[in-house]
Amino acid sequence: MINKIVASPAEAVADIFDGAVVMISGFGEAGSPIELIHALIDQGAKDLTVISNNTGSGHVGLAALIENRRVKKMICSFPRTANSKVFPELYKNGEIELELVPQGTLAERIRSGGAGIPAFYTPTSVGTPLADGKETREFNGRTYVLQHALEADFSLVKCKAADRYGNLIYNKTARNFGPIMCTAAKTAIVQTKQIVDLGRLDPEAVVTPGIFVSSVVEVADPAEESKLVADDRRYPW
Amino acid sequence: MVSKEEKIGWSVSDMARNVAADIPNGAYVNLGIGMPELVAGHVPEGREVIYHTENGLLGMGPAPAEGQEDPELINAGKKHVTAIPGACYFHHADSFTMIRGNHIDICVLGAFQVAGNGDLANWSTGAPGAIPAVGGAMDLVAGDIKIFVISKHTTKEGEPKVVKECTYPLTGKAVVDTIYTDLAIIDVKDDGLYVRELAPGVTFEYVQERTEAELKRNP
């Protein structure tokens, strides 16, 4: 029997090793797998390279992973938001590396990584400082910049419902990077609000086919990052 | 540089109305964060426009009523929004396929500086020590989408924002199509900047004095 369901976030993240490349879904708090991130903090893996659009808020979730000095390098498009304090502080002190990538290029690098495409040319960032030192090439009289695919050892993703084959559906704009991150990691670990029986997800409406998913853990009542930040909570509690 | 003086020209709301007037029926439009968001409130009667937000929603509606906010339904500025009937959600690679692949028709953005050739600087002032953050700005201008800039004509200090050459780091080269300011509507053409319309009580010379790049009168 195929059964990708695991019992707890701790079990789900147990194999993440020091130095791993980890993709973390989410755009701000929408789609951020906060329980998996907290389990990763408890687990202790360090020297991680994290690929995520932002760097977290307050002192919980991704911001807490960074604050607990588990992240050596961030690859992201927008490393500061209204409530991000942790990353800017470490960055200013030279204690964390940053690779800044335009958001659409970040998405396409991840998509390519999952699709077996090692690199691609894109018009984004041509003529800007973010293209400095990168290979360019002309197609049809227009200049494009070479970008390399991103792959990860693990991805941590949040969704709305999953079955034991790992088929997933998402919730509204919390989908964002989840589907492509599932494809681009050797091991895609998903927290879901609900696990449903096989056949309950309409095959026409499945967003992430189970083939891209390694394990699924049910977190029926996930924390809301913005509420934790408003209450000035810190992880570990 | 021109010193502070009495307020003349269009209000921010007028500016948003000017932009909205140039968005045709049926257009798919991406609105940037801040002043561009106001454009949605000024769509002329009888036109239907569909708003895209790059974090994965086509058919973005207005802000929800208080108490109806959903933390998983937000826009690119991470503000709570709603989805209109007929809306759809998609992942980030598909969202930027809509942008880079020229499926979106118009993008309305703010700016730090626009140059006479349409170069745009709107993501970084290049200040030393600042945390660089780019988001989707460079992707939005990378394709052939029409780029409308909505911005005050000068900075708070009175410095021109329409310049000969951008001094801030570029977002994209020769990408801006039209500039909507409190003083004028300016079209960026291959041979320069053409003032299409002046705000009431504003003269061409008045706008030129506050513009570093050379302006041309519409033929």
Side-chain angles (χ1 to χ4, degrees), chain A residues 27-28 30 54 77-80 91-92 100 102-105 122-125 128 142 158 171-177, chain B residues 55 70-76 78 89-93 96 100 129 131-136 138-139 142-144 170-171:
Chain A
F27 184 88
N54 306 104
S77 88
F78 209 85
R80 53 178 159 77
Y91 181 76
K92 279 182 181 162
L100 189 71
Q103 202 173 119
T105 298
T122 176
T124 301
S125 86
T128 78
R142 211 165 160 162
K158 183 186 184 186
N171 186 44
K172 306 188 179 83
T173 56
R175 182 183 306 192
N176 57 68
F177 286 90
Chain B
N55 56 314
D70 180 340
E72 297 198 322
L73 182 44
I74 58 174
N75 66 10
K78 304 192 173 76
Y89 300 108
F90 34 84
H91 63 64
H92 249 80
F96 282 86
R100 213 190 300 100
I131 313 286
V134 65
M138 289 184 183
D139 305 285
D144 290 325
L170 288 188
T171 306

Side-chain angles (χ1 to χ4, degrees), chain A:
Chain A
M1 185 174 111
I2 297 169
N3 186 11
K4 298 185 179 178
I5 299 166
V6 296
S8 66
E11 190 182 328
V13 303
D15 294 337
I16 299 181
F17 48 85
D18 289 356
V21 177
V22 182
M23 292 178 175
I24 301 182
S25 71
F27 184 88
E29 71 172 316
S32 184
I34 195 164
E35 280 73 17
L36 289 177
I37 300 170
H38 288 169
L40 179 57
I41 293 171
D42 296 343
Q43 190 257 28
K46 58 183 190 302
D47 294 327
L48 304 171
T49 294
V50 171
I51 302 167
S52 193
N53 190 59
N54 306 104
T55 60
S57 289
H59 304 276
V60 295
L62 178 53
L65 187 71
I66 294 168
E67 191 165 35
N68 283 273
R69 305 300 179 104
R70 307 299 165 76
V71 182
K72 161 182 85 173
K73 179 179 180 182
M74 279 299 314
I75 301 177
C76 68
S77 88
F78 209 85
R80 53 178 159 77
T81 50
N83 290 313
S84 70
K85 302 179 182 87
V86 170
F87 179 87
E89 184 83 18
L90 290 181
Y91 181 76
K92 279 182 181 162
N93 294 334
E95 295 176 79
I96 190 165
E97 291 172 58
L98 169 66
E99 180 178 342
L100 189 71
V101 184
Q103 202 173 119
T105 298
L106 182 66
E108 193 61 16
R109 289 177 68 188
I110 296 167
R111 196 197 67 79
S112 299
I117 307 287
F120 57 91
Y121 285 96
T122 176
T124 301
S125 86
V126 169
T128 78
L130 295 191
D132 284 352
K134 292 195 162 62
E135 189 180 325
T136 59
R137 186 167 163 181
E138 266 194 26
F139 296 91
N140 304 317
R142 211 165 160 162
T143 305
Y144 296 81
V145 59
L146 184 71
Q147 292 284 356
H148 291 264
L150 286 170
E151 292 177 66
D153 298 300
F154 300 91
S155 60
L156 306 181
V157 169
K158 183 186 184 186
C159 79
K160 180 183 181 179
D163 62 26
R164 69 176 171 86
Y165 283 177
N167 295 308
L168 312 179
I169 62 168
Y170 297 82
N171 186 44
K172 306 188 179 83
T173 56
R175 182 183 306 192
N176 57 68
F177 286 90
I180 52 175
M181 286 183 170
C182 285
T183 69
K186 288 188 196 85
T187 303
I189 303 165
V190 180
Q191 73 168 68
T192 179
K193 278 196 83 158
Q194 193 189 5
I195 289 174
V196 298
D197 289 338
L198 292 181
R200 291 303 298 266
L201 296 177
D202 177 357
E204 292 284 5
V206 167
V207 176
T208 291
I211 190 170
F212 298 123
V213 173
S214 307
S215 58
V216 173
V217 59
E218 188 173 72
V219 179
D221 191 18
E224 273 184 42
E225 185 183 280
S226 50
K227 285 187 181 160
L228 298 176
V229 172
D231 293 344
D232 202 24
R233 299 290 301 275
R234 281 165 191 266
Y235 197 84
W237 313 129

Side-chain angles (χ1 to χ4, degrees), chain B residues 9-10 22 24 30 50 57 64 67-68 71 75 99-100 105 125 127-128 135-136 169 188:
Chain B
W10 283 309
D22 282 352
N30 181 293
I50 295 186
L57 166 61
Q68 299 297 305
N75 66 10
I99 294 167
R100 213 190 300 100
D105 298 299
T125 57
V188 183

